[in-house]
Amino acid sequence: MLMKYLFTLLLMLAAATSLHATDYYVSPQGSDTNTGTIDAPFATLKQAISKAKAGTTIYLREGTYQPTEAEIMGYQESNLYACVYNLTASGTAQNPITITGYEDEKAVIDLSLVKPADKRVSGFYVKGNYWRLRKFDIIGIQVTITGHTQSENISMRGGSNCIIEQVNIHDGMGIGIYFTRGSNNLVLNCDAYNNYDPVSENGAGGNCDGFGFHLNSKAHANNVIRGCRAWRNSDDGYDLITNYAAVVIDSCWAWENGYDANMVSRGDGTGIKGGGYGMGTITKTIEAPRNVIKNCIAWKNKQNGIYANHHLGGNDWYNNSAYANKRNYNMVNRKSESEAVDVDGYEHVLKNNLSYGGTTANYVNISETLCTLENNTFLPTMTLSASDFESLDGTQLKRDRQADGSLPEITFLRLKSTSKAYAQNIGYQFDYESVPSGIKTIRVADNADAYYTLDGIRVEKPTAKGIYIRGGKKFVVK
C-alpha cells in the first residue's frame, strides 16, 4: 500500500513539474542556441515566444532588438499582415503569458528592418488570451504599400483579458495600438507619439493614430484605455470610428496631434475622436455604443480637441478639459444611417466639462434640447480667465511619468481653489463618479493635504464643527 501511495505521489509531482511554465530571458548579446536562462539568454524574442505557454514570463534585458524579415512569425488576416511576433497561444487568468522589460532596464524593439513587399506590418499580433505586454518601447515600424493601407505596432485581433502596460510606441509609420476584436482588455499608462506615415495614400501623411478602437461587433465589450498619452501623431490621438462596442477612455491626454515637433501640419489632428461611421453609404443596421470619455485633457490639437465624429448616437463625456484646440468640443452627429447629413449632436451627456481658449470655438454642433448638459463651462457660458488656472503651460504634459508608470503630477489646466469652476468640480482634476453619500471622489494625488466638504468642495483647514475629507480619509472637527 505504501509503495502504491509513493508511486502515485511521484506521478503527481511529475505532472506538476511538467505543467510548470519556464521563464525565459532575451538579450541583444544572447544566442538562440542558449537555454534562455538569465545567464544564457536567447537573442531573439521570437525564440522565447515560440516556447512560451501559460504562466511563462519573458524578460527583455537592456538594449535594442532589431528583428529582420526572417524573424516574421506568421501571416494573418488573409495573409495581408506580416506579423513579426504572432501571439496566438493563450494564458489563463491565474497564469498569463507575459513579455516585460527586466526590472528597470530599457528594452527597445526596432522594427525598421521589417519591410515585406505588399504586406501590412503588425509588430505584435495578439489573437491569444491573457497576454501581458509591459515596460518596453516599440519604434521604427514601416509601411511599404503606397495605396490605402496601414501598419500597426500592436494589433488586438481577438485576444481577450489582456493588459498592455507602460509600452511606449513612437517614431514609426504605424498606428500605436489597434483593436478590432477582443473583450475585457486594458491599455494602461502607455504613450504613443511622433508616429507618421509618409508612404501610403501617395504620401498624404495621415493614417497614424496613437490608439484606435474599431471593434467590429458589440460582443467585444469592456475594453478600457486609462492613463495614456498621445501626442504629435499625424492623424488622431485616440480614434473610435466604426466602433460597435462601447469603450472607456479614462484619464488620457492628447496634444499636438496633426503636427510634427516643429508644428508643421501633417494629417487630420483630433485629440479624442469618440465614434462615428463615416459619411459614406451604410449597409447594415448600427447600434451605436455609448462610449465614455472622462477625466481627459486635450490641448493644441490641429482640428478638434474632443470630437463626436458624426456619431449615430450619444456618448458620455465627464470632467474633461480642453484648451487651445481649433475647436475644443465638437459634438457633430450624423442624421441617420440612411442620411449622410451633419446635424447638431444629439443624445450626448456632457457633465462637468471645461473648455477654455479654443482658437476657433470652445464648442460647436451641440443641440441643447437633445443633449443632457450639466455644469459645463459652456451652454450657458461660465466665464473663465487665465487667473482661474494654476498653470496654462501645456509642456507639462510631457513630463516623465512617475516610478509606477502613472501620469506625472502637473498643474496645467488645474483650477485654483478660488475659482467658481473649482467649487463646482469641473474639469479633469475631479473624478465624476460619486458615492452614495453624495461625496465626489477626490483624487488623493491631486493634493493629499487638502480639505474637502462632504460636497467635494475644497476649503482651507476647517475650524467649524463637522465632518470633512482629507487625504481620502474622514477628518472630524469637534
Coordinates of all heavy atoms in Angstrom, one line a residue, residues 20 42 73 77-78 104 134 161-162 164 231 235 248 257 288 323 331 344 359 368 421 470:
H20 N 4.5 23.1 -15.0 CA 5.2 24.4 -14.6 C 5.8 25.1 -15.8 O 6.5 24.5 -16.5 CB 6.3 24.1 -13.5 CG 7.0 25.3 -13.1 ND1 6.4 26.3 -12.4 CD2 8.3 25.8 -13.4 CE1 7.3 27.3 -12.2 NE2 8.4 27.0 -12.8
F42 N 18.4 34.0 -24.7 CA 18.2 34.0 -26.1 C 18.5 35.3 -26.7 O 18.6 36.3 -26.0 CB 16.7 33.6 -26.5 CG 16.3 32.3 -26.0 CD1 15.0 32.1 -25.4 CD2 17.0 31.2 -26.3 CE1 14.6 30.9 -25.0 CE2 16.6 29.9 -25.9 CZ 15.4 29.8 -25.2
M73 N 6.9 35.8 -37.7 CA 6.4 34.6 -37.1 C 5.2 34.0 -37.8 O 4.8 32.9 -37.6 CB 6.1 34.7 -35.6 CG 7.4 35.0 -34.8 SD 7.0 35.0 -33.0 CE 6.6 33.3 -32.7
E77 N -4.9 37.7 -41.2 CA -5.9 38.5 -41.9 C -5.8 38.2 -43.4 O -5.5 39.1 -44.2 CB -5.8 40.0 -41.6 CG -5.7 40.3 -40.1 CD -7.0 40.0 -39.4 OE1 -8.1 40.3 -39.9 OE2 -6.9 39.4 -38.3
S78 N -6.0 37.0 -43.8 CA -5.9 36.5 -45.2 C -4.6 36.9 -45.8 O -4.5 37.3 -47.0 CB -7.1 37.2 -46.0 OG -8.3 36.8 -45.5
D104 N 14.5 47.6 -14.1 CA 14.5 49.0 -14.6 C 15.3 49.2 -15.9 O 15.6 50.3 -16.3 CB 15.1 49.9 -13.5 CG 14.2 50.0 -12.3 OD1 12.9 49.9 -12.4 OD2 14.7 50.2 -11.2
R134 N 4.4 44.6 -21.3 CA 4.7 45.7 -20.4 C 6.2 46.1 -20.4 O 7.1 45.4 -20.6 CB 4.3 45.4 -18.9 CG 4.9 44.2 -18.3 CD 4.3 43.8 -17.0 NE 4.2 44.9 -16.1 CZ 5.1 45.3 -15.2 NH1 6.2 44.6 -15.1 NH2 4.9 46.3 -14.4
N161 N -9.0 39.6 -22.3 CA -8.4 39.6 -20.9 C -6.9 39.9 -21.0 O -6.1 39.3 -20.2 CB -8.7 38.3 -20.3 CG -10.2 38.0 -20.1 OD1 -10.9 38.7 -19.4 ND2 -10.7 37.0 -20.9
C162 N -6.5 40.8 -21.9 CA -5.0 41.2 -22.0 C -4.8 42.5 -21.3 O -5.7 43.4 -21.3 CB -4.6 41.2 -23.5 SG -4.8 39.6 -24.3
I164 N -2.0 45.7 -21.6 CA -0.8 46.4 -22.2 C -0.5 47.5 -21.4 O -1.2 48.5 -21.2 CB -1.1 46.8 -23.7 CG1 -1.6 45.6 -24.5 CG2 0.1 47.4 -24.3 CD1 -2.2 46.0 -25.8
W231 N 0.6 62.1 -28.5 CA 1.0 63.4 -29.0 C 1.8 63.4 -30.3 O 2.5 62.4 -30.5 CB 1.7 64.3 -27.9 CG 3.1 63.8 -27.6 CD1 4.3 64.4 -28.1 CD2 3.5 62.9 -26.6 NE1 5.4 63.8 -27.5 CE2 5.0 62.9 -26.5 CE3 2.9 62.1 -25.7 CZ2 5.7 62.1 -25.7 CZ3 3.6 61.2 -24.8 CH2 5.0 61.2 -24.8
D235 N -2.3 61.6 -37.4 CA -3.7 61.6 -37.6 C -4.4 62.0 -36.2 O -4.4 63.2 -35.9 CB -4.2 60.3 -38.0 CG -5.6 60.3 -38.6 OD1 -6.2 61.4 -38.7 OD2 -6.1 59.3 -39.0
V248 N -14.2 52.7 -22.9 CA -14.0 53.7 -21.9 C -12.6 54.3 -22.1 O -11.6 53.6 -22.1 CB -14.1 53.2 -20.4 CG1 -13.8 54.3 -19.4 CG2 -15.5 52.6 -20.2
N257 N -1.6 66.6 -31.8 CA -1.8 65.7 -32.9 C -2.2 66.4 -34.2 O -2.9 67.4 -34.2 CB -2.9 64.7 -32.5 CG -2.5 63.8 -31.4 OD1 -1.6 62.9 -31.5 ND2 -3.0 64.0 -30.2
A288 N -25.3 52.1 -32.2 CA -24.2 53.0 -31.8 C -23.9 52.8 -30.3 O -24.8 53.0 -29.5 CB -24.4 54.4 -32.2
Y323 N -8.3 72.8 -24.1 CA -7.7 74.2 -24.2 C -6.9 74.3 -25.5 O -6.1 73.4 -25.9 CB -6.8 74.4 -23.0 CG -5.9 75.7 -23.1 CD1 -6.5 76.9 -23.4 CD2 -4.6 75.6 -22.8 CE1 -5.7 78.0 -23.4 CE2 -3.8 76.7 -22.8 CZ -4.3 77.9 -23.1 OH -3.5 79.0 -23.1
M331 N -19.4 68.3 -31.1 CA -20.3 67.1 -30.9 C -21.2 66.8 -32.1 O -22.2 66.2 -32.0 CB -21.3 67.5 -29.7 CG -20.6 67.7 -28.4 SD -19.9 66.1 -27.7 CE -18.2 66.4 -28.0
D344 N -26.5 68.8 -35.4 CA -26.0 69.1 -34.1 C -26.1 67.8 -33.3 O -27.1 67.1 -33.4 CB -26.8 70.2 -33.4 CG -26.5 71.6 -34.0 OD1 -25.5 71.7 -34.7 OD2 -27.2 72.5 -33.7
T359 N -9.2 78.0 -30.3 CA -8.7 79.0 -31.2 C -9.8 79.5 -32.2 O -9.7 80.6 -32.7 CB -7.5 78.5 -32.0 OG1 -7.8 77.3 -32.7 CG2 -6.3 78.2 -31.0
E368 N -28.9 71.8 -27.6 CA -29.2 72.0 -26.2 C -30.4 71.2 -25.8 O -30.5 70.7 -24.6 CB -29.4 73.4 -25.9 CG -28.1 74.3 -26.1 CD -28.3 75.7 -25.7 OE1 -28.8 75.9 -24.5 OE2 -28.1 76.6 -26.5
A421 N -15.4 77.6 -10.9 CA -15.5 76.3 -11.6 C -14.9 75.2 -10.7 O -15.3 74.1 -10.7 CB -14.7 76.3 -12.9
R470 N -9.9 64.5 4.1 CA -8.5 64.9 4.0 C -7.7 63.7 3.6 O -7.8 62.7 4.4 CB -8.0 65.6 5.2 CG -6.5 66.0 5.1 CD -6.1 66.8 6.3 NE -4.7 67.3 6.2 CZ -3.7 66.8 6.8 NH1 -3.8 65.8 7.7 NH2 -2.5 67.4 6.7

